[in-house]
Amino acid sequence: MGMQTGAHIVWDWNGTLFHDNDAIIGATNAAFAELGLTPITLEQYRALYCVPVPKFYERLMGRLPTEAEWEVMDTAFHRHYLEHRVRCGLTEGVAELLAGWSSAGRSQSILSMYGRDELVPLVKDFGIEAHFIRVDGRTGPSGGSKAEHMVRHLAELALAGVEPARTVVIGDAGDDAVAAGHVGARAVLYTGGSHSRASLEGFGVPVVDTLREAVAEAERLAA
């Protein structure tokens, strides 16, 4: 990992680089079925989804799930997500955008709340790992916020000369903006993933409809 001196993008994975909306809603409804809850549509999911994830379930159930219910739903979600994931691919244009950013001499990394053991081989399978100076997935329990993971990610990137002030986080969730602000970075939010535009616009950062727009905004913000 060489020293970096220019702008840096921290990419989110699920719903951003990886277009897995169908897998997410399929696994969510499978998890709901474990407790006899009514299935929801993608539009409902995008309007209501939030982190930490138990708060999302509270919006749907009218109460926080018990610890036992959370364990049942979380286990079911991840089991069914693996089954649905195989039919999903990269978001349109991702390979070209990553190559273009790298060829301009800029650096990029991935920080995801998807489990590291699943994330790293998946990135390799798509043949894009060479574009990233670091790929970090979640370690430990699921369901939390990205902010503390971002602290560790940026600390590692600092060893390669990446500066928070010239770092832009691109993701599809308000939590990405919160995590960016937590470490002094900027953020751009993308409407093609888990959140609707209306739910993203309250975070005070640029909101875009394509990843091409997101990269253009990142270039501007990190200039």
Side-chain angles (χ1 to χ4, degrees):
M1 186 164 68
M3 296 300 288
Q4 307 298 319
T5 57
H8 181 87
I9 291 176
V10 177
W11 291 97
D12 174 54
W13 179 249
N14 302 95
T16 304
L17 292 178
F18 188 47
H19 187 65
D20 61 348
N21 288 352
D22 289 344
I24 291 288
I25 194 65
T28 296
N29 282 331
F32 287 174
E34 298 275 345
L35 294 178
L37 299 176
T38 304
I40 62 172
T41 65
L42 178 60
E43 290 70 24
Q44 289 173 310
Y45 181 95
R46 284 164 48 82
L48 296 173
Y49 182 74
C50 64
V51 293
V53 178
K55 294 291 291 184
F56 167 55
Y57 290 147
E58 181 182 27
R59 292 180 174 185
L60 294 165
M61 299 170 66
R63 61 174 176 82
L64 280 170
T66 66
E67 184 174 337
E69 287 171 333
W70 163 249
E71 290 180 1
V72 167
M73 288 191 290
D74 190 48
T75 299
F77 174 87
H78 287 96
R79 183 176 71 251
H80 288 283
Y81 178 82
L82 288 174
E83 297 172 4
H84 289 277
R85 190 189 75 185
V86 297
R87 294 187 291 276
C88 300
L90 297 176
T91 301
E92 184 178 358
V94 158
E96 293 79 9
L97 290 172
L98 296 178
W101 188 264
S102 294
S103 66
R106 306 182 184 106
S107 60
Q108 50 200 328
S109 60
I110 294 176
L111 176 61
S112 174
M113 294 299 283
Y114 191 40
R116 186 184 187 282
D117 291 345
E118 292 79 25
L119 173 66
V120 171
L122 187 56
V123 172
K124 288 182 179 179
D125 286 346
F126 280 113
I128 57 174
E129 74 276 11
H131 295 302
F132 306 108
I133 62 173
R134 189 170 185 87
V135 176
D136 281 334
R138 173 185 49 77
T139 56
S142 60
S145 172
K146 185 177 274 188
E148 291 306 317
H149 296 269
M150 188 68 74
V151 171
R152 292 190 290 272
H153 189 69
L154 264 291
E156 293 291 342
L157 293 178
L159 300 175
V162 173
E163 302 174 1
R166 298 206 64 196
T167 296
V168 179
V169 177
I170 298 178
D172 68 322
D175 193 45
D176 292 299
V178 172
H182 193 65
V183 296
R186 311 293 286 276
V188 179
L189 298 180
Y190 163 62
T191 64
S194 62
H195 286 61
S196 65
R197 172 175 280 275
S199 67
L200 296 176
E201 287 182 334
F203 288 91
V205 303
V207 178
V208 300
D209 296 321
T210 69
L211 292 185
R212 187 169 298 280
E213 293 174 279
V215 169
E217 278 292 315
E219 186 171 8
R220 181 183 67 82
L221 290 171

